[in-house]
Amino acid sequence: MTNETSKDGASTRRRFLKAAATGAAATVAAPTIVLAQGPISMRWQSTWPAKDIFHEYALDYAKKVNDMTGGDLKIEVLPAGAVVPAFGLLDAVSKGTLDGGHGVLAYHYGKQNALALWGSGPGYAMDANMLLAWHRYGGGKELLEKLYASIGANVVSFPYGPMPTQPLGWYKKPMTKVEDFQGLKFRTVGISIDVFTGLGAAVNALPGGEIVSAMDRGLLDAAEFNNATSDRVLGFPDVSKICMLQSYHQNAEQFEILFNKTKFDALPEKMRAIIANAVDSAGQDMAWKAIDRYSRDYEELQTKDKVKFYKTPDSILQKQLEVFDQVAEKKSAENPLFKEIVESQLAFAKRATQWEQDTVVSRRMAYAHYFGPNAKKKS
């Protein structure tokens, strides 16, 4: 090998090493630049009082996202009223006053009544988890996007977290017949406003945090909210000792996670994927937590707070279904999107509930076998 060849080889190696070093420096420098920008912060608000388990669910979701992103996204969740009133969440998120929020679609009833079909009503015999199945796989997601576009809402919505059937509510005496609702000053939200009005009640829509004080001041005779844990911590047993269980007014409701669309779309693709998958994770975790906490508080409402629970009579349940059908027919005639959603839900529910009714065994017999009055006592 000549000296000239040797020099050329050495020169080539030097150029190669220099290029490699430059590339390595760029590789090292790139994440340093990203880190220098710091984490993305988002300010949220829930529609719930800080002491309510619903606000806890909002915090749970935020923590999942914060943890999954390794702190690159930091969501802070404030309670209802911290920035805007509970019913003002949609406007605040759409305008960018808030980056996001946690609530329920029924709270947006005044903006577009079809939004309440995500949970305010009998769900056409579906439970909340089945309604979420319709949302994800039966066309609901696309219809919801269409709905929000129709009112110019600049939001990205994630319905999640199936709720158990909600009680008929808290009353001064047991409700035994439909006529008991006549003239009753009652709190509810969403399409349930129309249903209870159809039953004869004088309805007032209030956020969860305002219900008990309204009952205490006599502004309400009765009210419904959601579950044993929320109702207990919000103070319902202080103003009523009668709770009616089982109802069709909110048989299949879910929560909603909202993002300002402009801010959501500006996030890195990986972060948006984490957010979407965290919705599914938080929804399942919420359902498990609800079973544990609601059952504990249901027990303590009876033993510690001396609340009497009664099953809602079938005559009232049947009347709820009839009134809901009348309301849905009227609103479908007035609102083409309402009609489109109802038809989509009915088509999915007919197939899904037939499968459920034929396939899923009733647990009532098993409950009686193990825990009923004639159950064999276990040593």
Side-chain angles (χ1 to χ4, degrees):
M1 182 171 64
T2 65
N3 287 338
E4 187 175 343
T5 305
S6 176
K7 288 177 182 178
D8 288 345
S11 177
T12 301
R13 284 195 298 273
R14 283 195 298 272
R15 287 197 299 272
F16 173 79
L17 291 171
K18 184 178 179 180
T22 302
T27 303
V28 171
T32 305
I33 293 169
V34 173
L35 289 174
Q37 294 174 345
I40 298 169
S41 295
M42 284 192 169
R43 187 173 66 153
W44 279 29
Q45 183 187 293
S46 80
T47 55
W48 321 114
K51 61 185 177 181
D52 187 9
I53 192 172
F54 286 2
H55 187 68
E56 185 178 328
Y57 294 153
L59 295 174
D60 289 345
Y61 173 75
K63 185 177 187 305
K64 278 182 169 55
V65 172
N66 295 346
D67 290 347
M68 288 179 179
T69 62
D72 289 342
L73 178 60
K74 292 186 176 180
I75 297 175
E76 174 196 14
V77 186
L78 304 169
V83 179
V84 294
F87 288 166
L89 182 67
L90 177 59
D91 278 343
V93 174
S94 181
K95 293 174 182 176
T97 305
L98 291 163
D99 300 316
H102 183 281
V104 287
L105 282 96
Y107 273 19
H108 315 323
Y109 183 66
K111 297 289 183 184
Q112 162 58 272
N113 55 35
L115 287 167
L117 286 167
W118 275 257
S120 181
Y124 300 113
M126 295 186 287
D127 66 10
N129 208 39
M130 296 174 82
L131 193 62
L132 281 171
W134 162 77
H135 176 82
R136 180 67 64 86
Y137 296 107
K141 181 176 183 292
E142 293 75 19
L143 286 167
L144 183 56
E145 290 172 356
K146 191 173 177 179
L147 264 184
Y148 275 130
S150 76
I151 59 173
N154 183 39
V155 297
V156 175
S157 170
F158 295 96
Y160 90 110
M163 298 184 194
T165 298
Q166 297 173 39
L168 186 72
W170 296 77
Y171 300 84
K172 293 179 179 178
K173 63 179 184 178
M175 305 297 282
T176 60
K177 56 188 183 300
V178 174
E179 289 72 22
D180 292 341
F181 286 96
Q182 198 64 43
L184 194 74
K185 293 180 290 186
F186 188 77
R187 179 271 176 193
T188 190
V189 293
I191 299 171
S192 303
I193 294 170
D194 303 274
V195 171
F196 280 97
T197 299
L199 293 176
V203 177
N204 188 4
L206 291 174
E210 299 177 21
I211 302 170
V212 170
S213 67
M215 290 181 71
D216 190 43
R217 288 180 289 154
L219 301 176
L220 294 173
D221 299 318
E224 62 81 29
F225 183 58
N226 194 278
N227 65 83
T229 300
S230 292
D231 291 358
R232 189 167 189 239
V233 75
L234 293 177
F236 280 83
D238 297 332
V239 293
S240 172
K241 296 296 182 185
I242 304 294
C243 184
M244 304 296 298
L245 296 176
Q246 301 184 20
S247 178
Y248 283 125
H249 79 280
Q250 282 171 315
N251 173 57
E253 193 172 13
Q254 320 84 31
F255 292 102
E256 179 187 40
I257 287 167
L258 271 179
F259 282 88
N260 174 274
K261 190 175 189 304
T262 303
K263 294 178 181 178
F264 180 84
D265 289 346
L267 294 172
E269 183 179 355
K270 181 178 179 180
M271 202 171 281
R272 296 198 304 269
I274 288 173
I275 283 168
N277 283 286
V279 171
D280 295 345
S281 172
Q284 188 58 70
D285 185 55
M286 179 242 114
W288 293 331
K289 179 182 279 191
I291 291 169
D292 176 53
R293 296 277 284 278
Y294 296 178
S295 62
R296 289 174 187 269
D297 282 303
Y298 176 59
E299 191 174 74
E300 294 199 353
L301 280 167
Q302 296 170 79
T303 57
K304 294 185 177 180
D305 300 317
K306 308 305 178 186
V307 171
K308 299 290 186 183
F309 287 94
Y310 298 86
K311 181 193 175 298
T312 299
D314 286 350
S315 60
I316 293 176
L317 295 175
Q318 184 61 46
K319 188 64 175 179
Q320 282 184 318
L321 293 174
E322 293 168 4
V323 173
F324 177 84
D325 287 347
Q326 294 166 7
V327 170
E329 184 177 358
K330 181 175 183 292
K331 293 191 181 303
S332 292
E334 299 167 346
N335 182 349
L337 281 175
F338 195 102
K339 181 180 180 182
E340 187 177 0
I341 293 163
V342 165
E343 289 175 349
S344 177
Q345 288 184 350
L346 278 166
F348 187 89
K350 183 178 181 181
R351 170 168 54 87
T353 57
Q354 179 70 66
W355 163 80
E356 183 195 39
Q357 294 294 320
D358 291 351
T359 306
V360 180
V361 67
S362 170
R363 297 193 302 274
R364 185 170 293 278
M365 182 186 295
Y367 175 83
H369 177 78
Y370 291 106
F371 309 113
N374 298 320
K376 181 179 179 181
K377 302 303 178 187
K378 305 293 188 292
S379 57

